[in-house]
Amino acid sequence: MSLAVASSGRRRDAGPPLWLLLAAALPTLLIALPLAYVAARAWSAGLAVAVEEIFRARTAELLVNTVTLAVSVTVLSAVIGVATAWCVERSDLPGLRWWRVIAALPLAVPAFVASFAWASMGAAFQTMGGAILILALSHYPLVYLPVAAALRGMDPGFEDVSRSLGRGPWAAFFSATLPQAWPALGAGSLLVLTHMFAEFGALSLLRVQTFTTAIFDSYELEFDGATAALQSAVLLALALPAALGEMRLRRDMRFARSGKGGRRRAPPARLGRAKAPVLGAMAALAALSLGAPLAMLAYWLLVGRSIGHASHDLWPAVVGTLGLAVPGAIVVTALASPLAIAATRHRGMLSALAEKLPYVVHGLPGLVVALALVFFSIRFFPAAYQTAGLLFAAYAVLFLPLAQSALRASLELAPARLEEVARSLGRGPFGAFAAVTLPNVLPGVGGALALITLELARELTATLMLAPIGVSTLATEVWSQANDGRYAAAAPFAALLVAVSAIPVYVFTRRSLELNDLR
């Protein structure tokens, strides 16, 4: 009922009020800066230099490496994610409730932390093949979670029809089940693809050269040089289609049911003789994605000789992490709020812009965002360079879509007609929103703040480039210590990051399963 009211109550005939237009202007400007930076630097370099840089052998090598890594990790993550989702949602595998949680827990180990753990085992993992395996083990939950949700929500009637036509289990899966899960599979896979285009920390530790590592090297060697900008332009051309495709698929996700009434669960497939091999494969996946990184962290914590080298930096890194993540989350949520309001309460150009523009740069690496902000701050606002404010601006560009999603879910449940009643009683547009809608969406605001705080505590690239001098975080300390080969010194920072991430991932997964069981 409330959903229907919220939908029908949207004020479609009224344009956005002035306060909303002004509030949405700042995040819109920030989002446009990386695109303007790439265009401006490419233009200033000149056509001849741009053509020479884009078509030189080094660029071709980086392009091959980037595409090979991104496509391979995406395909492997999709295969693992779909297979795992089917095992835990459609089979009679023993201990399903535990496997559902364990399969999602690799999200608690940041990719650069897992890469540091594997890299510390030896140079054998510091190769393209090693990077593909390690990153797929870290990112497959991004496919597993939406596909598992799709399998739980879809009606098994299509499979029954397919089986009644004489198709076997595999044929029925590919002809009836997988097509229903395709939007979830496609959205999850494209999300992995955008992560791979943006990945820096893990690849730097694994010594694999892609555009992100090359851009960082170019920036260090030629401060804000044209080479970094032109490489960013090529990376942008790769990342934007993936980000836009992921946005479209995620928006169109629907889990079909063929009939009315309560949802009928599909009977679990009997594994029979395959039960032991499948159970072994699940155990091997858990051992590789969780056991190996955590075991190496424990090893370096217990026996590493260089652990005392950075122990005195642990508390400053914790303070730096909280000092950036908490206020950064408040800034990101505040900037995302007018965009979420515009997308849910109004139609027109502002609504379309608010809904789509953040996703345009969703797949843009933090390196490119950081370079853009450095470029414009030095030329127009020199006092802002190497301040927390500039870093918060980078956080906003990178995490606005995440904050918008959390806020929009609450706004859509708050009927817009209540604001109209408040307006009819003499309140202005902002007063009506503050008095009626804001109290109802505060839980969503709290959820957005918690989610963004967790993500900012793990963010590496933009923080590495833009953090004020003398400020370090857990993520930057892991990278700097491990990049210099001091694995034991990096272990305490990495262990704290995993501990911070594990609790919310576990609680979220268990809560999702409990809510699903109540439906």
Side-chain angles (χ1 to χ4, degrees), residues 327-353:
I330 295 173
V331 170
V332 173
T333 305
L335 290 175
S337 297
L339 297 179
I341 295 168
T344 55
R345 290 293 192 264
H346 303 280
R347 279 191 168 185
M349 184 178 297
L350 177 62
S351 178
L353 193 67

Side-chain angles (χ1 to χ4, degrees), residues 221-300:
L221 296 175
E222 321 171 36
F223 182 71
D224 198 22
T227 298
L230 293 171
Q231 290 170 339
S232 300
V234 178
L235 186 56
L236 181 61
L238 292 173
L240 284 184
L244 294 174
E246 188 262 336
M247 177 190 71
R248 184 179 182 87
L249 280 175
R250 193 168 293 277
R251 183 189 64 196
D252 295 340
M253 256 197 273
R254 299 289 186 272
F255 303 137
R257 290 172 51 213
S258 59
K260 297 180 180 180
R263 183 184 66 196
R264 179 169 68 89
R265 290 181 180 271
R270 296 187 178 277
L271 295 175
R273 294 181 178 179
K275 183 174 293 186
V278 170
L279 194 60
M282 292 291 292
L285 178 62
L288 292 172
S289 59
L290 279 174
L294 296 181
M296 288 308 299
L297 281 181
Y299 170 80
W300 289 114

Side-chain angles (χ1 to χ4, degrees), residues 40-273:
R41 292 298 288 155
W43 178 265
S44 65
L47 181 60
V49 174
V51 170
E52 180 183 358
E53 175 63 32
I54 290 175
F55 288 98
R56 70 186 181 125
R58 173 61 173 163
T59 304
E61 179 187 353
L62 293 172
L63 179 62
V64 170
N65 285 353
T66 302
V67 172
T68 299
L69 177 93
V71 172
S72 300
V73 172
T74 301
V75 171
L76 186 55
S77 296
V79 172
I80 296 173
V82 171
T84 304
W86 186 89
C87 287
V88 300
E89 298 298 336
R90 290 298 185 90
S91 76
D92 62 347
L93 189 70
L96 284 178
R97 290 191 62 83
W98 287 106
W99 285 119
R100 284 170 178 166
V101 175
I102 293 171
L105 282 181
L107 287 178
V109 184
F112 64 90
V113 172
S115 299
F116 137 69
W118 283 96
S120 68
M121 297 184 194
F125 297 101
Q126 299 176 25
T127 62
M128 176 63 77
I132 291 171
L133 175 62
I134 293 164
L135 290 173
L137 291 172
S138 294
H139 288 85
Y140 82 85
L142 297 178
V143 177
Y144 156 73
L145 288 171
V147 172
L151 291 175
R152 285 196 299 269
M154 70 176 59
D155 193 322
F158 294 102
E159 295 177 60
D160 296 341
V161 172
S162 181
R163 293 298 298 275
S164 69
L165 295 175
R167 294 189 175 99
W170 285 102
F173 173 80
F174 284 107
S175 64
T177 305
L178 194 58
Q180 294 182 79
W182 168 244
L185 171 59
S189 298
L190 285 173
L191 185 58
V192 174
L193 189 65
T194 58
H195 276 237
M196 290 305 99
F197 286 140
E199 185 59 58
F200 165 73
L203 299 176
S204 175
L205 295 174
L206 294 171
R207 315 302 183 199
V208 174
Q209 283 286 304
T210 62
F211 274 117
T212 52
T213 59
I215 291 168
F216 185 81
D217 293 340
S218 299
Y219 176 77
E220 282 196 321
L221 296 175
E222 321 171 36
F223 182 71
D224 198 22
T227 298
L230 293 171
Q231 290 170 339
S232 300
V234 178
L235 186 56
L236 181 61
L238 292 173
L240 284 184
L244 294 174
E246 188 262 336
M247 177 190 71
R248 184 179 182 87
L249 280 175
R250 193 168 293 277
R251 183 189 64 196
D252 295 340
M253 256 197 273
R254 299 289 186 272
F255 303 137
R257 290 172 51 213
S258 59
K260 297 180 180 180
R263 183 184 66 196
R264 179 169 68 89
R265 290 181 180 271
R270 296 187 178 277
L271 295 175
R273 294 181 178 179

Side-chain angles (χ1 to χ4, degrees), residues 35 370 450 477:
L35 305 179
E477 284 292 337

Side-chain angles (χ1 to χ4, degrees), residues 2-3 6 344-345 407-416 418 440-441:
S2 61
L3 284 174
T344 55
R345 290 293 192 264
L407 293 171
R408 184 167 181 169
S410 294
L411 284 167
E412 288 178 341
L413 294 176
L418 295 180
N440 290 322
V441 301

